[in-house]
Amino acid sequence: MTATSPRLKHEVKDLALASLGRQRIEWAGREMPVLKQIRDRFAQEKPFAGIRLVACCHVTTETAHLAIALKAGGADAVLIASNPLSTQDDVAASLVVDHEIPVFAQKGEDNETYNRHVQIALDHRPNIIIDDGSDVVATLIQERQDQIADLIGTTEETTTGIVRLRAMFKDGVLTFPAMNVNDADTKHFFDNRYGTGQSTLDGIIRATNVLLAGKNIVVAGYGWCGKGTALRARGLGANVIVTEIDPIKAIEAVMDGFRVLPMAEAAPQGDLFITVTGNKHVIRAEHFDVMKDGAIVCNSGHFDIEIDLKSLKAKAKEVKQVRPFTEEYRLPSGKSVIVLGEGRLINLAAAEGHPSAVMDMSFANQALACEYLVKNKGKLEPGLHSIPTDVDQEIARLKLQAIGINIDTLTPEQIEYTNSWTSGT
Ligand SMILES: NC(=O)c1ccc[n+]([C@@H]2O[C@H](COP(=O)([O-])OP(=O)(O)OC[C@H]3O[C@@H](n4cnc5c(N)ncnc54)[C@H](O)[C@@H]3O)[C@@H](O)[C@H]2O)c1
């Protein structure tokens, strides 16, 4: 459907970008067969008829497919950005023009605009919230208690959002069901690991065009995102150093063949630093002081808090943009530190986020989690809920089918064996 002058409320950069967005959304769709099957079923069954839905996501070509699938299912959906730097303006324009989905998102929006968009989304009085980082849910709880009665539930995309939801539950303020999309196997095994791994390096390369082979790359955090990032950095020929605070993850990194050091020791050795911990001030003043001249630092964790940019700014004699998404901080010693993407998710700031093939599974989880909430309206306890195992398995099965890979099935003898305890040595 193409409408050239939509009367929808929206805040996007430029509706004239819609045709470019349309092309790029179509391209991404080639790698999203699972979500397409779900969309086709939603279009028949209309599970979201009468449902007001807010999606707070990175506004990318892949998110466009999620929004289109939800709308096909009958949802009255509003889309806002989950990060001020991650919006693809052409995609936002196409969603408004071609799909009549109200979008409030502009790349580079300031924090005030970002927060205003969260308020606009809540003005929609959602029955379902798809959140990425938990900003919408946190605002609902803090400022719009009266709207909680309208809410069937929420779904959460990312590790940081799950950490926040757990804290809300502990504080007794999470009084509605929240689907833990991040912890579905078909989400974090692939999105966090292979998606972040590839797209983080993609963002760094697009921002800097530096050669990674032979560089010392310090990856802070060896969780799912860190594992993928370290693996891909090594694949490009870097010497990878991992920093951790969890002794088990640290052993895992050692046995995967990486050097493991505290940040204080890694700081003078690194040429490039990537934080993916979900934690605060992992790189801070004392680390900047000992870095090599020209060391590059960036973040791929959810919030822009992992690098203590405030203290770097306070130290710097001069800050200048040297390339798009690349700023040089000149220190009084004469050395400089290069910061990418203002310390925000570099894969979304300087590149296009995860490849569509992994988001196919993440967003299949999101779409099915929303359907699950609607089907189980009023039956789910408040708090976090896992994606049902059969849904996770079904997404994996559909993905394998779509990429033409067959696997074995258990024989009756194997089923009997795996269910019994009597046969041993
Ligand atoms: N860039 C993206 O597109 C993208 C995608 C998925 C998740 N994320 C975000 O990336 C972050 C990490 O996600 P994850 O799924 O890998 O989480 P995770 O919990 O699997 O891993 C985080 C790791 O960081 C370690 N850590 C914590 N504090 C540390 C510190 N001070 N120094 C060193 N290590 C520390 C933890 O021990 C843990 O092993 C989260 O903020 C998540 O929301 C980003």
Side-chain angles (χ1 to χ4, degrees):
M1 176 185 36
T2 304
T4 43
S5 57
R7 276 183 222 101
L8 290 177
K9 277 197 177 166
H10 62 265
E11 273 184 39
V12 302
K13 194 152 276 171
D14 182 0
L15 290 180
L17 296 170
S19 65
L20 177 60
R22 188 181 316 136
Q23 252 183 9
R24 295 204 315 109
I25 292 168
E26 273 173 27
W27 174 253
R30 293 174 184 229
E31 293 258 282
M32 303 186 78
V34 178
L35 191 58
K36 181 176 182 313
Q37 286 196 43
I38 293 169
R39 183 184 77 199
D40 291 347
R41 179 171 66 73
F42 281 179
Q44 297 287 320
E45 298 175 6
K46 302 281 178 204
F48 305 117
I51 298 288
R52 291 186 305 276
L53 187 147
V54 160
C56 174
C57 297
H58 301 293
V59 179
T60 62
T61 49
E62 294 77 22
T63 298
H65 284 280
L66 174 63
I68 293 165
L70 296 165
K71 187 164 184 208
D76 173 7
V78 167
L79 176 62
I80 61 167
S82 60
N83 182 293
L85 269 191
S86 63
T87 298
Q88 297 171 5
D89 290 317
D90 53 348
V91 170
S94 171
L95 283 173
V96 173
V97 172
D98 301 318
H99 302 281
E100 297 189 342
I101 295 173
V103 181
F104 297 84
Q106 296 185 357
K107 190 173 179 98
E109 64 192 29
D110 57 21
N111 283 352
E112 195 185 315
T113 309
Y114 174 83
N115 290 324
R116 190 168 51 74
H117 289 164
V118 171
Q119 295 293 344
I120 290 173
L122 287 173
D123 288 345
H124 190 50
R125 298 193 76 87
N127 307 119
I128 295 210
I129 296 170
I130 297 180
D131 220 349
D132 186 337
S134 252
D135 278 347
V136 179
V137 169
T139 311
L140 177 82
I141 289 174
Q142 284 164 326
E143 300 174 24
R144 307 257 189 141
Q145 277 289 324
D146 60 306
Q147 282 184 224
I148 289 180
D150 288 352
L151 195 69
I152 298 173
T154 178
T155 71
E156 174 53 53
E157 171 85 3
T158 199
T159 313
T160 285
I162 296 300
V163 170
R164 292 180 86 190
L165 286 168
R166 287 209 172 97
M168 290 175 202
F169 189 67
K170 200 168 122 256
D171 284 351
V173 295
L174 187 66
T175 54
F176 43 84
M179 299 302 296
N180 183 345
V181 169
N182 182 68
D183 288 3
D185 289 349
T186 47
K187 199 279 183 181
H188 68 280
F189 283 179
F190 305 97
D191 172 316
N192 301 31
R193 181 167 37 177
Y194 303 114
T196 311
Q198 177 169 323
S199 61
T200 297
L201 294 171
D202 183 16
I204 293 165
I205 292 166
R206 291 197 207 191
T208 63
N209 197 27
V210 293
L211 180 73
L212 300 182
K215 293 276 192 316
N216 290 337
I217 298 188
V218 180
V219 177
Y222 202 66
W224 291 103
C225 295
K227 287 189 213 325
T229 305
L231 180 72
R232 294 300 179 238
R234 177 161 63 191
L236 286 167
N239 305 306
V240 178
I241 299 170
V242 168
T243 72
E244 252 298 343
I245 46 100
D246 177 332
I248 298 173
K249 300 282 176 54
I251 299 175
E252 212 182 346
V254 170
M255 295 209 180
D256 284 344
F258 297 109
R259 285 173 71 203
V260 175
L261 293 175
M263 185 57 83
E265 286 176 41
Q269 300 189 33
D271 299 300
L272 167 64
F273 296 79
I274 307 167
T275 54
V276 263
T277 68
N279 211 342
K280 191 174 176 182
H281 294 177
V282 176
I283 300 181
R284 47 189 184 268
E286 69 258 35
H287 303 132
F288 297 126
D289 286 342
V290 296
M291 282 181 185
K292 295 180 186 175
D293 183 25
I296 300 171
V297 296
C298 67
N299 168 51
S300 211
H302 188 78
F303 286 120
D304 58 344
I305 50 164
E306 304 211 13
I307 303 166
D308 181 4
L309 277 187
K310 223 179 190 175
S311 75
L312 183 61
K313 264 186 199 135
K315 276 178 192 292
K317 273 199 331 200
E318 188 194 0
V319 182
K320 66 171 184 211
Q321 180 159 2
V322 286
R323 285 169 64 94
F325 311 110
T326 307
E327 286 180 318
E328 178 174 17
Y329 286 67
R330 191 157 287 283
L331 303 178
S333 62
K335 288 195 301 187
S336 50
V337 173
I338 311 292
V339 177
L340 306 185
E342 299 168 20
R344 298 191 188 276
L345 298 155
I346 189 60
N347 59 335
L348 283 140
E352 294 171 65
H354 293 355
S356 318
V358 286
M359 293 316 292
D360 190 26
M361 290 190 284
S362 304
F363 285 160
N365 274 292
Q366 284 284 19
L368 297 180
C370 291
E371 186 184 35
Y372 182 80
L373 281 172
V374 173
K375 280 191 173 157
N376 291 284
K377 183 181 171 185
K379 293 187 212 149
L380 299 171
E381 293 290 317
L384 275 167
H385 293 261
S386 301
I387 299 296
T389 309
D390 56 331
V391 171
D392 218 351
Q393 292 271 329
E394 177 65 3
I395 292 171
R397 202 184 56 73
L398 289 174
K399 189 72 180 175
L400 283 174
Q401 196 183 54
I403 56 182
I405 291 175
N406 294 319
I407 59 170
D408 287 323
T409 48
L410 289 169
T411 63
E413 184 191 22
Q414 288 166 343
I415 293 173
E416 194 188 329
Y417 177 75
T418 51
N419 285 324
S420 74
W421 56 272
T422 46
S423 47
T425 28

